[in-house]
């Protein structure tokens, strides 16, 4: 609900109030963003700077409180007394212009209003507030928008050139707001195979910037971030979440002023940015997303997850369970033929998978990553019956069929490049740079977009393809507004391909999580989180992403051990337990998997399918833990799953106690442990404490035993009230190095347990 009274605006969501007003000078003054205010509180809420501070410049000489520098604002300009960072920079013929946009009018629309917007955006807005500002001195108008989606508010800006002279936009943010007080920032940093690691920084007087300059939203600095107080934790305290519905170079900054006002702004990166606005033309920003919760970071995450699942992902896939897939890449990479693929598909079907995905290497001369990209002719030496025949055979096995593409890139050694070298993204007179032996195609060119749409569509219509993995394996080398135009071209291409085929599950990928963002999620309901499938590394990545993105959007695979990315050994049970908290898949050579691991995979998939809705769409909770532990929970109705993960084990660990929250305190719950086994190789020489005969732990008999037999870990089976579980319960003891009788939990380094908690019937 959006209310206005005497130019004071209340944006009221399910549980929050956002409050600002128009000042006498026509500027937008921010007051409050937090839990719902009463009508009286909203009318009386005030932040006044009285007579200003020190050497502040007054906007109106007759008003000693009119310093813009000491006023909490909803939007600012430059050159009028506010010395903080401006959300807008405009250049004229004589240089950078003073900007001073003041209120002209406003409208409140049901839904998103009558406007047609350029950028991807959420669907189902309840109401939208439009405020029109103007700066007559430079003949420009600015329209600001606030749209309500549950407990999320989306903001955007539209700048219009009303004058007779061309202007150049150097910077235009989607949102700008000032909060009174001191805060911390949580953002996600990383790189390839190390995506989305959380980092917490105190917001001080020097500016903190979270920015991508790679051409895409990037694995280095995800566009999402949180702002919180010093007291905030996972379960309590003020937590504000921010994000951007955009897939290109992004920018966010936070800084605290001398007046203790923290300015937060977000939008397209202004680095090297210069966008021409001819008379009558306009520039529109993508939507910035924000939410608030008094229930800590978990409450903030809940708001954002609900928004993405209900309003952002394509309508066909909203709350639709994602299939369990098998991906061929780590099983065979480029080295495969139809017989090999069909053998893997039969094994995947026996394991319980629902979808078989053929990854890279099916087209042109694509036998390695130096050639073939850009060509879409099927390699008939590998696939003599083509994709049509392969898909039919996969379907007869009982699996859906999916396919990998990398449509945005081209190899120099390809028919496409030899025919159209001018289609490469490049600056005139300068040779473009390669990454992973690739150039990017210039999606700003209509002929390039048409080629990709036509080529990919023909492939998709040639066979029964129900899934696409859309990859992109390098950064861009285009700067500024050109990057924005590239992203607009990408959105157009993807919409033209997939809007007519809504039932195809599109999983976006960019060297793993290089483009894990809300812009892609408007088209791609699932995104490959990371090329790193080591579960200990995935704890960092999936936890980081969970602050802002729901489990249903995360592609999470179980792969072989030791892992390609870390050379670390891990238990199959832990690999599965981590991957359960997302869209589950498998990516290993099933022909070489041990009997015991195949059995575990079958058990994992059977268990996951039983609780698939809980894992993919249940409310997600993180627990405050030490650096060696993680505890995650998903809750859906009467059923909850709790994963407890340990990075390092310890000797003589003693009893543990941990709590399980988010349950009805007056209800009783049955707590069981998912049955898990440990291979004999895990215990090494300790096998001789269990075996009636002495076995050499380095001998062939041990190897045979390890492949066929296992040790079953102790399991819980008890009933407690929600209140008791929140108070903490003591599970069975951990293995302490002094023997095993079936009543200890076998965890150790990289170990994990999964607790199933179900409400009992009275």
């Amino acid at each position: 609900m959006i209310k206005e009274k005497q130019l004071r605006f209340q944006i009221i969501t399910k549980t929050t109030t956002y409050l600002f007003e128009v000042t006498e000078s026509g500027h937008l003054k921010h007051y409050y963003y937090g839990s719902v205010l009463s009508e009286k509180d909203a009318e009386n809420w005030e932040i006044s700077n009285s007579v200003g501070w020190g050497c502040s410049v007054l906007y109106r000489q007759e008003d000693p409180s009119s310093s813009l520098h000491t006023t909490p604002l909803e939007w600012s300009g430059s050159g009028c007394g506010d010395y903080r960072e401006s959300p807008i920079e405009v250049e004229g013929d004589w240089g950078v212009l003073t900007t001073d946009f003041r209120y002209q009018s406003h409208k409140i629309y049901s839904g998103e209003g009558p406007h047609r917007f350029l950028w991807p955006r959420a669907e189902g807005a309840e109401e939208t507030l439009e405020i029109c500002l103007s700066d007559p001195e430079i003949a420009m108008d600015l329209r600001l928008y606030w749209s309500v989606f549950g407990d999320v508010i989306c903001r955007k800006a539209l700048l219009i050139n009303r004058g007779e002279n061309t202007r150049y936009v150097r910077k235009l943010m989607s949102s700008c707001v000032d909060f009174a007080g001191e805060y911390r920032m949580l953002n996600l940093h990383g790189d390839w195979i190390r995506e989305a690691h959380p980092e917490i920084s105190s917001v001080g007087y020097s500016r903190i910037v979270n920015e991508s300059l790679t051409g895409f939203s990037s694995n280095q600095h995800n566009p999402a971030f949180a702002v919180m107080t010093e007291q905030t934790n996972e379960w309590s305290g003020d937590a504000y979440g921010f994000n951007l519905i955009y897939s290109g170079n992004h920018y966010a900054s936070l800084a605290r002023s001398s007046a203790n006002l923290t300015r937060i702004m977000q939008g397209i990166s202004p680095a090297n940015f210069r966008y021409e606005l001819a008379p009558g033309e306009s520039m529109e920003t993508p939507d910035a997303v924000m939410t608030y919760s008094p229930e800590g970071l978990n409450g903030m995450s809940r708001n954002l997850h609900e928004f993405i699942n209900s309003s952002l992902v394509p309508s066909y896939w909203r709350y639709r369970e994602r299939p369990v897939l098998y991906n061929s890449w780590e099983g065979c990479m480029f080295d495969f033929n139809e017989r090999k693929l069909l053998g893997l598909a039969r094994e995947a079907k026996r394991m319980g998978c629902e979808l078989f995905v053929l990854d890279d290497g099916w087209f042109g001369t694509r036998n390695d990553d130096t050639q073939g990209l850009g060509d879409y002719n099927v390699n008939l030496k590998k696939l003599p019956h083509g994709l049509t025949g392969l898909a039919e055979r996969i379907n007869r096995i009982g699996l859906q069929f999916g396919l990998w593409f990398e449509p945005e890139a081209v190899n120099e050694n390809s028919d496409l490049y030899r025919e159209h070298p001018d289609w490469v993204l490049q600056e005139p007179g300068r040779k473009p740079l390669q990454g992973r032996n690739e150039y990017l195609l210039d999606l700003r060119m209509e002929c390039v977009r048409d080629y990709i749409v036509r080529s990919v569509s023909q492939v998709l219509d040639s066979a029964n393809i129900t899934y696409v993995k859309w990859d992109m394996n390098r950064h861009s080398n285009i700067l500024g507004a050109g990057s924005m135009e590239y992203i607009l071209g990408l959105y157009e291409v993807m919409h033209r391909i997939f809007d007519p085929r809504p039932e195809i599950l599109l999983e976006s990928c960019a060297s793993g999580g290089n483009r894990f963002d809300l812009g892609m999620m408007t088209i791609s309901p699932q995104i490959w989180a990371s090329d790193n499938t080591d579960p200990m590394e995935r704890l960092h990545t999936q936890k980081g992403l969970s602050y802002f993105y729901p489990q249903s959007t995360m592609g999470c695979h179980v792969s072989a051990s030791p892992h390609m990315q870390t050379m670390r050994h891990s238990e199959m049970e832990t690999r599965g337990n981590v991957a359960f908290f997302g869209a589950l898949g498998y990516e290993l050579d099933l022909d070489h998997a041990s009997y015991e691991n195949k059995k575990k995979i079958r058990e994992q998939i059977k268990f996951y399918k039983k609780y698939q809705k809980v894992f993919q769409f249940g409310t997600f909770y993180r627990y405050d833990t030490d650096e060696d532990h993680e505890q995650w929970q998903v809750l859906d109705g009467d059923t909850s799953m709790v994963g407890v993960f340990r990075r390092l084990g310890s000797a003589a660990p003693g009893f543990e106690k941990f709590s399980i929250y988010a349950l009805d305190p007056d209800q009783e719950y049955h707590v069981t442990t998912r049955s898990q086994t440990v291979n004999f190789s895990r215990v090494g020489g300790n096998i001789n404490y269990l075996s009636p005969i002495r076995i050499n732990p380095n001998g062939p008999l041990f190897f045979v035993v390890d492949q066929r037999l296992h040790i079953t870990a102790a399991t819980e089976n008890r009933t407690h009230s929600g209140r008791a579980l929140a108070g903490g319960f003591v599970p069975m003891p951990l293995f302490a190095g002094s023997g095993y009788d079936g009543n200890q939990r076998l965890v150790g380094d990289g170990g994990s347990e999964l607790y199933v908690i179900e409400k009992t019937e009275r």
Side-chain angles (χ1 to χ4, degrees), residues 13-31:
T13 74
K14 289 190 297 185
T15 64
T16 72
T17 295
Y18 191 96
L19 184 63
F20 66 96
E21 73 172 10
V22 179
T23 67
E24 291 185 15
S25 59
H27 299 99
L28 305 183
K29 183 177 181 180
H30 179 85
Y31 284 125

Side-chain angles (χ1 to χ4, degrees), residues 18 30-32 47 68-69 71-76 82 84 176-180 255 261-264:
Y18 191 96
H30 179 85
Y31 284 125
Y32 176 85
I47 299 177
L68 296 180
H69 184 70
T71 300
L73 297 171
E74 280 286 300
W75 189 266
S76 186
D82 186 357
R84 297 167 291 175
C176 174
V177 64
D178 296 335
F179 290 170
L261 298 174
T262 297
R263 172 159 294 179
I264 306 166

Side-chain angles (χ1 to χ4, degrees), residues 69 108 162 278 372 612 669:
H69 184 70
I108 298 173
R162 298 295 190 193
Q612 193 167 11
Y669 295 86

